[in-house]
Amino acid sequence: MGKVIVVTSGKGGVGKTTSSAALGAALARNGDRVAVVDFDVGLRNLDLVMGAERRVVYDLVNVIQGEAKLTQALIRDKRLETLFLLPASQTRDKDNLTAEGVAEVIGALRQAFDWVICDSPAGIERGATLAMRHADIAVVVTNPEVSSVRDSDRIIGLLDSKTLKAENGERMEKHLLLTRYDPLRAERGDMLKVDDVLEILSIPLLGIIPESMDVLRASNVGSPVTLADETSAPALAYFDAVRRLKGENLPVTIPGEKRGFFGKFFGRRAA
Amino acid sequence: MTAVLTESRPIRLKGRSFLALALAPELPFDDWLARLDDLAARSTGFFLQRPVVLDVNGLTIDRSQLSELVEKLGARKVRIMGIEGARPSLLGPDMPPAMLDGRPASDVSPSADGAPAVPAADSDAPAASPLPKAPSSIVVSQPVRSGQSIVFPDGDVTVIGSVASGAEVIAGGSIHIYGALRGRAMAGTTGNAEARIFCRKLEAELVAIDGYYRTAEDLGSDLHGQPAQFWLEGDTFKVGSFA
């Protein structure tokens, strides 16, 4: 039985799709079987970021409405043979996602894959609530900025009330992924500090992804940043995030923070 | 340190509860309306001037059926002030609003003179409540997230954790927050001027006691980020630290 991860945020443009692709590729690089599902019906992007846009035939809505089989709609990545994409429909709208249909698709994917990553649309409407509904683990993507933090807080509330896990009285595992972190702006005090974000949201930190041109460059060439340049700062941060996701206790370092010899030993611990 | 925050006369927002008649229609509506007409013929004016709530819990009806029923009741001079137990999709701007959290009271039966006989209202001794006494406080052991609302009109609310920006806690009694208050806290909403609000770290958007309220802007910056408490002295809204 695979694990279902929802990548969510409330606010748009914070890096959900980038993170879904990067985490998916990083997990698949170790040989795990990974399916990344685009829930953003009507505004699909994940196929572009993963460089599969020219091979989309069927999509999630086709599968839910019985017009295609799941195996027909899944697209295998050209670089990693254990990485698959289930694209969203660009022409239909979110009302075509039914609760039963989504449950069936996620159930089938859970059987066949080690990890199922659901890339949630922005907002708190139907698409977003269906994307989180069956998740075991939530990755809450947040920028160090007040409106993003408040929206993430709202989403955490929904994760604790509207998901199957919550309704069964279980606790949803939630992780914070702080993205687009700019060390220069942080130094000038233009951004929220990492500690402030953690204090407000009070969920464990999965990683800090620095703001970087590498992310933009990677999505322009249609490659997850963890495949485009494995030595770039954002890719390394995503690799660390995946190790923590798998249960490793790895200290989180804040990008750009100058650390002395001793600082390295007394590194920040992931909560 | 105690600062007086009352400058102008504040607007008061108060909670009130009223006894409403809850009508529970049954399908098919035509039969039920016939029985209602029969009742109305025997006791004229039963529904006149009374707040009536329509309880549609458990009925499988669509929107047009519901609006038709409300219309037919209107033609019988039964004005529906709210609808209980309806899915949000059944309601619209042209419909009475949804009513939540209704608590049962004694049944009301029509008497011969047409006025509903409300039990206990006419007896001198205070009637024993048929309901068990509700607990007078609740404890919330998780942070209250943005968009969430904790409403407890029967007493105190204690939150172990923070109340986020965009979240609200509404209590009939006092509010205790063992964390940061970044959202709204409204204490004593059922008319309890003795209620207080306490928090470990004050970053509130709005605080209110018994209808008197202060926004973040009125609160100033003296106690921002500090432990604080709020209370009323007469009409005066007070804030103080308790560090």
Side-chain angles (χ1 to χ4, degrees), chain A residues 233-259:
Chain A
L236 293 173
Y238 278 116
F239 289 136
D240 282 354
V242 158
R243 286 169 66 186
R244 289 183 200 106
L245 200 59
K246 289 179 136 183
E248 214 171 306
N249 190 354
L250 202 65
V252 179
T253 45
I254 299 178
E257 203 158 87
K258 298 279 179 288
R259 279 187 187 279

Side-chain angles (χ1 to χ4, degrees), chain A residues 150 153-154 156-157 171 199-203, chain B residues 142-143 145-148 164-165 182 201 205:
Chain A
R150 179 152 82 179
D153 194 63
R154 179 91 167 88
I156 295 169
R171 248 190 109 68
E199 201 224 307
I200 293 174
L201 295 179
S202 54
I203 57 172
Chain B
Q142 284 178 337
R145 302 287 183 181
S146 186
Q148 289 176 340
S165 161
R182 300 192 175 94
K201 192 172 175 190
E205 289 167 347

Side-chain angles (χ1 to χ4, degrees), chain A residues 42-64:
Chain A
L43 289 170
R44 76 171 193 222
N45 282 151
L46 191 59
D47 53 331
L48 290 171
V49 175
M50 291 180 66
E53 75 278 9
R54 287 143 64 93
R55 295 190 288 144
V56 175
V57 183
Y58 295 112
D59 55 53
L60 178 62
V61 170
N62 292 136
V63 177
I64 283 176

Side-chain angles (χ1 to χ4, degrees), chain B residues 32-56:
Chain B
W32 181 78
L33 282 168
R35 277 183 280 152
L36 186 77
D37 289 339
D38 182 48
L39 172 73
R42 282 187 285 115
S43 49
T44 33
F46 180 51
F47 293 112
L48 284 180
Q49 314 290 327
R50 306 250 159 227
V52 176
V53 172
L54 204 57
D55 179 2
V56 297

Side-chain angles (χ1 to χ4, degrees), chain A residues 97-222:
Chain A
L97 292 179
T98 62
E100 304 77 38
V102 169
E104 213 169 288
V105 169
I106 298 293
L109 289 172
R110 201 197 276 275
Q111 296 291 334
F113 289 91
D114 299 317
W115 302 92
V116 180
I117 300 180
C118 303
D119 180 21
S120 170
I124 52 173
E125 270 74 48
R126 190 177 179 78
T129 48
L130 280 175
M132 68 170 68
R133 180 110 189 114
H134 303 277
D136 303 307
I137 303 170
V139 172
V140 180
V141 182
T142 306
N143 293 164
E145 171 257 327
V146 281
S147 60
S148 173
V149 171
R150 179 152 82 179
D151 289 0
S152 292
D153 194 63
R154 179 91 167 88
I155 281 288
I156 295 169
L158 294 180
L159 287 167
D160 283 335
S161 60
K162 294 282 159 80
T163 52
L164 274 184
K165 273 219 154 190
E167 285 172 12
N168 293 336
E170 294 169 57
R171 248 190 109 68
M172 162 82 73
E173 196 184 312
K174 298 174 289 280
H175 299 277
L176 175 68
L177 190 63
L178 204 57
T179 54
R180 312 193 67 165
Y181 186 86
D182 187 337
L184 281 176
R185 288 180 56 207
E187 208 168 297
R188 285 203 306 266
D190 295 348
M191 282 190 325
L192 282 180
K193 290 195 194 75
V194 176
D195 284 340
D196 292 344
V197 179
L198 284 174
E199 201 224 307
I200 293 174
L201 295 179
S202 54
I203 57 172
L205 183 61
L206 186 65
I208 303 172
I209 314 298
E211 173 86 319
S212 163
M213 283 306 287
D214 296 316
V215 174
L216 191 64
R217 211 174 293 130
S219 63
N220 281 340
V221 300

Side-chain angles (χ1 to χ4, degrees), chain B:
Chain B
M1 190 197 92
T2 299
V4 180
L5 293 166
T6 306
E7 282 156 343
S8 54
R9 276 171 61 89
I11 292 170
R12 303 191 68 183
L13 307 164
K14 288 183 159 187
R16 280 270 196 287
S17 68
F18 298 91
L19 191 66
L21 301 177
L23 262 183
E26 290 157 22
L27 288 168
F29 286 152
D30 286 337
D31 289 2
W32 181 78
L33 282 168
R35 277 183 280 152
L36 186 77
D37 289 339
D38 182 48
L39 172 73
R42 282 187 285 115
S43 49
T44 33
F46 180 51
F47 293 112
L48 284 180
Q49 314 290 327
R50 306 250 159 227
V52 176
V53 172
L54 204 57
D55 179 2
V56 297
N57 229 325
L59 289 182
T60 43
I61 47 170
D62 62 24
R63 198 180 157 144
S64 64
Q65 277 174 296
L66 185 61
S67 79
E68 198 184 314
L69 178 66
V70 171
E71 217 165 86
K72 282 184 173 166
L73 286 168
R76 288 166 172 78
K77 299 216 160 30
V78 181
R79 286 230 314 260
I80 305 296
M81 59 170 286
I83 297 183
E84 192 183 14
R87 297 190 305 279
S89 61
L90 282 177
L91 302 173
D94 54 332
M95 296 277 250
M99 306 284 278
L100 295 170
D101 300 330
R103 270 174 295 169
S106 319
D107 283 349
V108 177
S109 56
S111 59
D113 61 354
V118 179
D122 50 0
S123 65
D124 296 340
S129 166
L131 295 170
K133 199 165 162 24
S136 58
S137 72
I138 54 165
V139 176
V140 179
S141 53
Q142 284 178 337
V144 185
R145 302 287 183 181
S146 186
Q148 289 176 340
S149 177
I150 305 286
V151 183
F152 187 66
D154 300 326
D156 292 7
V157 174
T158 304
V159 180
I160 304 170
S162 296
V163 175
S165 161
E168 60 184 15
V169 177
I170 300 170
S174 297
I175 297 174
H176 311 260
I177 296 162
Y178 292 93
L181 169 58
R182 300 192 175 94
R184 301 173 158 214
M186 298 153 127
T189 49
T190 49
N192 178 3
E194 299 298 306
R196 291 189 179 212
I197 297 170
F198 305 87
C199 63
R200 271 253 180 94
K201 192 172 175 190
L202 175 64
E203 293 173 18
E205 289 167 347
L206 182 142
V207 285
I209 298 172
D210 187 22
Y212 291 95
Y213 72 91
R214 285 289 173 270
T215 61
E217 209 158 276
D218 308 328
L219 290 173
S221 56
D222 288 358
L223 281 174
H224 190 88
Q226 304 295 313
Q229 62 165 325
F230 300 90
W231 69 97
L232 283 180
E233 265 179 36
D235 281 355
T236 316
F237 203 95
K238 301 252 191 172
V239 57
S241 71
F242 57 93

